[in-house]
Amino acid sequence: MSATAERAIAPSTTPATAPAPDMAPETARAGVADPGPLGLAAFALTTMLLSLANAGIVTEAGATAVAMALFYGGLTQFAAGLWEFARGNTFGATAFTSYGAFWLAFWWLRTAPGLAEDAGSAGVGFFLLAWTIFTALMTVAAAKTNGATLTVFVLLTLTFVALSIGDLAGAAGATQAGGWLGLATAAVALYTAWAGVTNATWKRDVLPVWPRG
């Protein structure tokens, strides 16, 4: 995979992603714990590692992000999305399964022989642009969740915008900016996951997430 293509994908970017831990499901079922914090943590840590590489802070972190993308950002986040389906949470299910699939696609792009080279910067750029559009649409829905989740999606949209420009225009500065935005996204997502676990465990609002619904 080309160096440009390797640097260009960061979300979670993604990709992603990241419903609110305290977001009430539409028809929550007894016995199913809130999978939101798990999905958010998987998204946050994978995004953090890849963003460290994209920002040029620790380039070696990009290699560890590939393994994380398969097992934690991908499979674990995808599973969290399926549990959100069981709880009746349409937003959480759509977000987690989508961004889990994003990380699985990233892992495949980095590990399948010749795939990244065939895609080139243009292919990767449009891949990122597609996720930019999806994330922007999800941001509209996130406006009815809480302030923490909305902030995650706003930052993630900006991250994808910067990374898309970085690949489509060959602008290394945009890719680096996307790395820094990705780190901010990861930090807010990790806080939101922490709030979800802490508030559920303590059975009261210890850490605020600023509900908006």
Side-chain angles (χ1 to χ4, degrees), residues 10-154:
S12 255
T13 331
T14 320
T17 158
D22 74 329
M23 187 173 17
E26 294 158 10
T27 54
R29 295 184 179 180
V32 179
D34 183 6
L38 173 63
L40 283 163
F43 165 77
L45 295 187
T46 312
T47 300
M48 179 188 70
L49 286 177
L50 194 55
S51 295
L52 284 171
N54 285 338
I57 300 172
V58 183
T59 56
E60 296 83 358
T64 60
V66 176
M68 186 82 88
L70 173 60
F71 293 104
Y72 201 37
L75 294 176
T76 299
Q77 191 174 182
F78 192 89
L82 296 183
W83 283 318
E84 290 284 22
F85 275 115
R87 287 169 56 89
N89 185 351
T90 302
F91 179 85
T94 303
F96 283 140
T97 53
S98 294
Y99 292 113
F102 165 84
W103 282 116
L104 291 172
F106 166 75
W107 171 81
W108 183 249
L109 184 63
R110 288 290 303 270
T111 58
L115 182 58
E117 287 76 8
D118 291 342
S121 293
V124 173
F126 278 103
F127 172 79
L128 292 168
L129 181 59
W131 283 100
T132 302
I133 296 169
F134 173 77
T135 304
L137 296 177
M138 290 296 290
T139 301
V140 176
K144 294 295 289 182
T145 60
N146 60 54
T149 298
L150 177 59
T151 301
V152 170
F153 275 86
V154 169

Side-chain angles (χ1 to χ4, degrees), residues 183-204:
L183 287 172
T185 304
V188 178
L190 191 59
Y191 168 83
T192 311
W194 177 36
V197 172
T198 303
N199 294 346
T201 304
W202 290 46
K203 302 188 187 313
R204 62 185 178 87

